Amino acid sequence: MSPNERLRVRLEQSGHTVASLAEHVGTDPKTVARWIGTGRVPHRRNAHAVARVLGADARELWPSLERRTKGTADTDEDLVAVYRQRSDVPAEQWRGMFAAAERSIDILVYAALFLHEQISGWNDLLRDRAEDDVHVRVLIGDPDCEAVRVRGEEESFGHGIQSRCHLAAMHYRPLTTAPGISVRVHSTTLYNSLYRADDHMYVNTHLYGVNAYGNPLLRLKRTASQGLFDAYAASMDAVWRTGLPLEE
């Protein structure tokens, strides 16, 4: 009998092979073989992916998952996808996420001019959402602050980022009087750019010396309280409290 007989039986009943299951989950067949043959417990995200493929419950296949996470948040369950760089996500996918918002839209960036450059009618989209009682908050960088100046030097971008912050302010200034939309300027060190629509979020990580469009992007969906999604949302709230209203 295999150390994980439940998994072996479920695999056999499903009609999948070790190789086909590995392909569906995105891992190596040797790894799947170890889950069966040695009883090794996979990472939580892989465990749930296997369960979906086999039509089973992850805790049925690996009962220790229940013990491992009892009383703790499933932080990794919020992670939907990872993109090698922000530019891998098409503009229509960005538009779709924000257009579907029903409660809130939050944006924390230095400039993120791609929103205006690649999404036609970006300001109109935000106005439309606000008119449907969606609470919109936008945080952009203060072009004169030390953090923006340093980021420009780190990315060998010189005054480019400062100029882009000025442009972002110009783009968003018409929204400062729109009901339901608040635009603030911040001077914090930006560890991640955040783009949130209800329970969906993109987190644009910042690698040292790399422009934002070339940095990895996390796609999150809120599935548990105090998970990864909530941690980033709290970061947005913290910076929001430090911001000052964008002058008209």
Side-chain angles (χ1 to χ4, degrees):
M1 180 178 291
S2 301
N4 194 331
E5 186 66 10
R6 296 184 186 87
L7 177 57
R8 187 196 67 78
V9 170
R10 279 287 189 171
L11 181 65
E12 182 177 308
Q13 292 174 341
S14 71
H16 277 287
T17 65
V18 167
S20 65
L21 178 60
E23 183 178 357
H24 276 75
V25 176
T27 190
D28 189 272
K30 292 181 180 178
T31 300
V32 175
R34 283 193 290 270
W35 294 340
I36 299 171
T38 69
R40 179 176 297 182
V41 178
H43 186 276
R44 174 165 300 279
R45 185 154 58 94
N46 283 336
H48 283 277
V50 169
R52 285 193 295 271
V53 173
L54 300 183
D57 184 280
R59 291 176 179 82
E60 172 197 342
L61 301 176
W62 292 283
S64 62
L65 285 175
E66 180 70 31
R67 297 192 297 273
R68 182 192 297 180
T69 62
K70 188 176 182 179
T72 63
D74 294 337
T75 56
D76 57 343
E77 287 301 295
D78 290 350
L79 183 62
V80 176
V82 178
Y83 299 88
R84 174 59 188 84
Q85 53 189 17
R86 191 190 72 195
S87 56
D88 289 339
V89 181
E92 283 309 307
Q93 191 166 313
W94 287 93
R95 169 183 281 279
M97 182 182 78
F98 289 113
E102 297 180 347
R103 300 185 308 278
S104 63
I105 289 175
D106 285 337
I107 297 170
L108 168 60
V109 297
Y110 274 154
L113 294 183
F114 78 96
L115 294 172
H116 285 95
E117 294 169 347
Q118 298 180 24
I119 301 178
S120 178
W122 172 245
N123 277 9
D124 291 336
L125 188 156
L126 295 181
R127 286 194 188 92
D128 289 344
R129 294 292 79 226
E131 289 174 0
D132 286 339
D133 295 325
V134 175
H135 185 204
V136 179
R137 300 188 301 176
V138 179
L139 272 166
I140 57 177
D142 178 353
D144 299 320
C145 75
E146 180 70 4
V148 167
R149 184 192 65 78
V150 171
R151 180 59 57 81
E153 291 181 354
E154 291 173 351
E155 296 182 6
S156 301
F157 212 43
H159 295 289
I161 293 182
Q162 292 164 295
S163 298
R164 293 177 75 81
C165 288
H166 278 296
L167 282 173
M170 180 187 72
H171 284 309
Y172 284 112
R173 194 162 280 117
L175 297 179
T176 56
T177 58
I181 300 178
S182 300
V183 183
R184 293 185 182 181
V185 177
H186 72 97
S187 57
T188 62
T189 300
L190 199 61
Y191 300 105
N192 304 277
S193 297
L194 305 179
Y195 307 86
R196 176 185 182 180
D198 294 342
D199 290 335
H200 300 269
M201 182 187 295
Y202 284 126
V203 178
N204 195 179
T205 65
H206 290 168
L207 300 176
Y208 182 85
V210 180
N211 292 333
Y213 69 84
N215 282 321
L217 190 80
L218 310 180
R219 182 179 178 183
L220 306 179
K221 181 179 180 181
R222 189 178 189 275
T223 60
S225 176
Q226 303 303 311
L228 194 59
F229 184 100
D230 283 355
Y232 282 112
S235 174
M236 168 73 188
D237 291 339
V239 179
W240 183 258
R241 290 192 291 270
T242 73
L244 298 174
L246 176 64
E247 296 181 357
E248 296 180 25

